[in-house]
Amino acid sequence: MTRVTKLALGAAVLVVALIVALLTTRDGQAPAKTSGDLAAARAKAALASCPPPGPGEVAKLRGVDVECLGDGSRVDLAKVVSGGPVLVNLWASWCEPCRAELPLLQRYAALPGAARVLLVQVASSGADGLAMLSELGVRLPSVFDGDGQSGPVRTALKAPSSLPATYLVTAGGDVRLIENPRVFLNTDQVRAAVEGTP
């Protein structure tokens, strides 16, 4: 093999490795994955299955691949939240306002005409999150964004550091942070936020 052939082969290998790395990350972040065996915690939490991909894709979440907290399967978030409206709620197991808001979102989701609700656990371990959801009796579909200070969902949404943070994904694929109120106190506030009334 000539020197030129060796260099060309080496360059091709590097290009393939770079392409693979880019396809498995977004903004330099590897897909979030829970650690340890969560089978018992998942069974006890009995979360609803993560929704199947919708009819389109939400551009702001393109490339965000996360783990379904309920069963460990991979979820393409841009496709799962398409066809909204969908409430996307970011929460952590150490967040006291989240502890109060999660059961309220469960009650809202059970109302006739409610928007779909998808929970996104952030900045805390999958085991802690499953234990909290089980304790609260919250069975909403949930995904895991990682237990560190950032994750692919938080990066794509440019999420605030304070929790909870709830976003509305519209049928047209627009994504907006719900700022008024930042923390829901009742299902009427949730419904008003979804319907766009103050």
Side-chain angles (χ1 to χ4, degrees):
M1 198 180 307
T2 67
R3 182 172 181 250
V4 173
T5 305
K6 288 179 184 178
L7 287 174
L9 184 59
V13 168
L14 287 175
V15 168
V16 169
L18 180 61
I19 290 170
V20 168
L22 290 173
L23 290 175
T24 59
T25 64
R26 177 186 167 96
D27 298 330
Q29 293 191 353
K33 185 161 175 38
T34 56
S35 60
D37 182 9
L38 298 177
R42 286 182 168 130
K44 184 175 180 185
L47 300 181
S49 298
C50 286
E57 186 175 73
V58 174
K60 189 168 192 162
L61 296 169
R62 187 173 293 126
V64 176
D65 178 59
V66 290
E67 181 178 345
C68 180
L69 196 55
D71 65 13
S73 64
R74 301 308 300 173
V75 173
D76 181 339
L77 198 60
K79 293 179 180 176
V80 163
V81 299
S82 69
V86 180
L87 279 176
V88 177
N89 177 264
L90 280 61
W91 64 279
S93 62
W94 46 260
C95 167
E96 286 304 316
C98 301
R99 181 174 280 281
E101 188 177 70
L102 288 167
L104 185 133
L105 291 172
Q106 176 80 45
R107 288 193 301 277
Y108 164 77
L111 295 174
R116 292 182 290 149
V117 178
L118 180 69
L119 304 180
V120 180
Q121 183 192 348
V122 304
S124 51
S125 77
D128 289 347
L130 287 164
M132 182 170 145
L133 293 173
S134 178
E135 174 191 335
L136 297 173
V138 173
R139 306 284 185 252
L140 293 168
S142 305
V143 297
F144 183 71
D145 190 45
D147 55 8
Q149 292 304 306
S150 67
V153 178
R154 287 170 281 173
T155 299
L157 294 175
K158 297 178 175 61
S161 58
S162 61
L163 294 175
T166 303
Y167 292 80
L168 178 66
V169 180
T170 67
D174 294 324
V175 181
R176 70 173 173 83
L177 174 65
I178 297 172
E179 297 186 83
N180 185 21
R182 271 301 305 266
V183 178
F184 295 117
L185 302 175
N186 58 59
T187 57
D188 290 336
Q189 288 180 331
V190 180
R191 186 177 299 282
V194 170
E195 294 173 356
T197 57

